[in-house]
Amino acid sequence: MSRVSKPYEIVERALGLSRADGCVVIADEHSSANLRWAGSALTTNGVTRGRSLTVIATVDGAQGTASGVVSRSAVTADDLEPLVRAAEAAARAAGPAEDARPLVEGVPASPDFTDAPAETSSAVFADFAPALGEAFGRARAGGRELYGFANHELTSSYVGTSTGLRLRHDQPTGTLELNAKSPDRSRSAWAGRSTRDFKDVDPTALDAELAKRLGWAERRIELPAGRYETLLPPTAVADLLIYQLWSSAARDAVEGRTVFSKPGGGTRIGETLSPLPLTLRSDPDEPGLESAPFVIAHSSGDDASVFDNGLPLAPTDWVREGRLEHLVTTRHSAGLTGLPVAPGIGNLVLDGGGERSLEEMVAATGSGLLLTCLWYIREVDPATLLLTGLTRDGVYRVENGEVVGEVNNFRFNESPVDLLSRATEAGRTEKTLPREWSDYFTRAAMPSLRVPDFNMSSVSQGV
């Protein structure tokens, strides 16, 4: 067999080898570039390349259609036939797939399907690296140390199907995390940003922000557990609402297993979740947060189906003006629940109509807490979506519109759905990096939220 190396050629060759009744092939070409630093000095940098291939075979039987999914990395031309046969064998060995639907067809081909994959390189840091060096110098002069990393990934996904789909999407994903510490490591502050190309992030501005927070931490205030008026910055709001989105599969709600289940049966769609005019939405064409405009599903689950690969995505309001509008559905779960098809989308935006910055919200606070970020978030009760987790890298006391010191960290117990019902103010929406979920979900824009009685359930010794 002649050497097959280009992604679209691999997709075509795998489809040509298929003997199944239906076949979907997804070729993902990955590249990444990164910088890491510690003690205000670069430590490592590197560039990587990789390829993964997923073959989904469908086999029609007397009892229904079965699917078999096999994924491999570093696939070469010689690996293709064994991979296709393995997917077909998995389909024949499986029972009928509950989510089986005819494979998507009729979607116009991507004009760049046969083009070479997009690749990132260290050149993405051409403007960022000198600014980072300047931040290092300012940090040393100010008696603080900077730690962190910058990572840029570019994935070109090629989707081909036996029904004729030939689709391609290039997804850039950039993250910057910066941590400032006092020389004795007793004080720590964190900031993070998401970006597509590192042209819109300024490490010197982040360093200045962190320097201010380290200054706040020079005064230490011990507080007990309790309910406090709390300002949640965009990164913390994102972490909570991403978990809410992940927990909003329509089928689970209809079956009575989630916070979106209606007592007595059905879902809470149509109910008011917040008195504020909050709209939680996703849009593959959201400026600065662009994501795949069609379904790319490497496996099936409650909120995704391999049979939906290539299905076009449209802007979706999950919550509109405070009212629950949609739950996540595949074509299969939409049929089960009677709800419209609404697949998951790779970004999340919360609009609340607010204009105030976080600083302006602090200035309007009589007495309360200002958080930096959340981490180690875990689910306690799916029926209420009660989550627990920890605060990290700075909880600050606000009195009469000013930050007066840093307080101890806390463990919290809160449901994001319940928080929406109790929030009394939403600030200005801005792009943010969710800290807890940054390995999985980076494209978010959120406002700060004011919650009058955030539940700090116990004191934590974390930093």
Side-chain angles (χ1 to χ4, degrees):
M1 182 173 64
S2 62
R3 181 171 179 79
V4 180
S5 58
K6 296 179 181 179
Y8 86 92
E9 292 176 329
I10 287 181
V11 170
E12 297 291 3
R13 177 63 177 166
L15 289 171
L17 288 167
S18 175
R19 300 169 187 163
D21 295 302
C23 187
V24 178
V25 181
I26 307 172
D28 294 305
E29 296 282 325
H30 311 276
S31 60
S32 68
N34 65 79
L35 302 173
R36 293 183 178 272
W37 53 91
S40 301
L42 280 175
T43 55
T44 61
N45 65 84
V47 176
T48 64
R49 300 282 186 274
R51 168 184 292 165
S52 60
L53 191 70
T54 299
V55 176
I56 302 157
T58 68
V59 175
D60 299 331
Q63 304 301 316
T65 300
S67 63
V69 182
V70 178
S71 296
R72 302 267 170 79
S73 58
V75 175
T76 66
D78 293 337
D79 300 321
L80 284 180
E81 186 161 7
L83 180 59
V84 172
R85 299 291 167 256
E88 292 168 350
R92 287 192 296 270
E98 188 181 24
D99 62 327
R101 285 292 184 274
L103 295 182
V104 176
E105 55 185 323
V107 180
S110 299
D112 56 353
F113 183 76
T114 60
D115 291 353
E119 292 186 349
T120 190
S121 71
S122 57
V124 75
F125 301 124
D127 297 326
F128 172 80
L132 181 63
E134 183 180 345
F136 290 163
R138 293 185 181 184
R140 294 189 198 100
R144 58 190 175 274
E145 298 178 345
L146 297 183
Y147 296 78
F149 62 90
N151 188 66
H152 189 256
E153 298 180 2
L154 194 46
T155 300
S156 292
S157 297
Y158 297 75
V159 179
T161 72
S162 54
T163 53
L165 268 58
R166 298 295 186 272
L167 302 173
R168 182 253 183 88
H169 175 68
D170 296 333
Q171 185 64 66
T173 302
T175 58
L176 166 63
E177 295 200 40
L178 190 63
N179 193 283
K181 297 182 183 297
S182 59
D184 64 358
R185 313 294 170 83
S186 64
R187 291 173 286 136
S188 176
W190 175 89
R193 296 290 185 271
S194 65
T195 179
R196 288 175 64 86
D197 55 16
F198 279 86
K199 296 183 184 300
D200 57 351
V201 291
D202 182 356
T204 59
L206 289 184
D207 173 61
E209 177 184 328
L210 296 178
K212 179 172 65 175
R213 290 174 179 260
L214 288 182
W216 291 342
E218 289 178 354
R219 182 188 178 199
R220 179 80 174 185
I221 304 168
E222 298 297 326
L223 288 181
R227 290 186 175 270
Y228 294 91
E229 178 165 318
T230 300
L231 296 176
L232 299 172
T235 176
V237 176
D239 275 323
L240 293 171
L241 291 186
I242 288 168
Y243 205 108
Q244 177 178 308
L245 179 66
W246 287 342
S247 305
S248 62
R251 180 175 182 178
D252 291 342
V254 167
E255 293 177 351
R257 294 186 276 134
T258 77
V259 68
F260 299 112
S261 303
K262 188 174 183 177
T267 74
R268 295 175 61 188
I269 287 179
E271 288 188 18
T272 296
L273 301 183
S274 176
L276 297 176
L278 298 175
T279 295
L280 184 67
R281 60 186 179 83
S282 298
D283 181 351
D285 295 320
E286 181 70 19
L289 301 175
E290 294 89 348
S291 60
F294 54 86
V295 171
I296 304 175
H298 297 81
S299 61
S300 289
D302 291 337
D303 58 358
S305 170
V306 295
F307 291 90
D308 288 350
N309 270 297
L311 190 70
L313 297 173
T316 303
D317 289 346
W318 308 109
V319 177
R320 181 183 301 160
E321 297 290 317
R323 187 183 73 173
L324 182 63
E325 195 74 14
H326 286 98
L327 295 172
V328 178
T329 53
T330 63
R331 287 183 297 163
H332 166 67
S333 64
L336 286 178
T337 62
L339 297 173
V341 177
I345 297 170
N347 59 37
L348 192 63
V349 178
L350 181 67
D351 294 319
E355 296 295 333
R356 290 206 284 197
S357 67
L358 180 58
E359 291 74 18
E360 291 169 328
M361 292 174 68
V362 168
T365 301
S367 178
L369 300 178
L370 168 64
L371 302 189
T372 295
C373 57
L374 306 175
W375 74 304
Y376 207 68
I377 300 171
R378 298 295 183 268
E379 186 176 77
V380 177
D381 179 14
T384 60
L385 198 57
L386 180 65
L387 305 178
T388 191
L390 303 173
T391 65
R392 188 176 187 184
D393 285 312
V395 179
Y396 305 100
R397 184 68 169 171
V398 180
E399 296 289 352
N400 299 318
E402 294 185 357
V403 176
V404 297
E406 182 183 55
V407 307
N408 44 273
N409 279 290
F410 297 96
R411 174 172 291 280
F412 70 88
N413 284 285
E414 284 285 5
S415 163
V417 177
D418 197 39
L419 283 178
L420 294 181
S421 73
R422 289 155 39 218
T424 56
E425 182 184 3
R428 183 173 63 226
T429 295
E430 59 187 59
K431 283 176 58 179
T432 189
L433 177 69
R435 187 175 191 183
E436 174 78 342
W437 311 124
S438 60
D439 287 343
Y440 313 101
F441 199 114
T442 62
R443 289 173 287 280
M446 299 281 151
S448 299
L449 289 182
R450 185 188 301 275
V451 180
D453 54 354
F454 193 86
N455 184 19
M456 301 297 189
S457 56
S458 63
V459 172
S460 168
Q461 300 305 312
V463 296

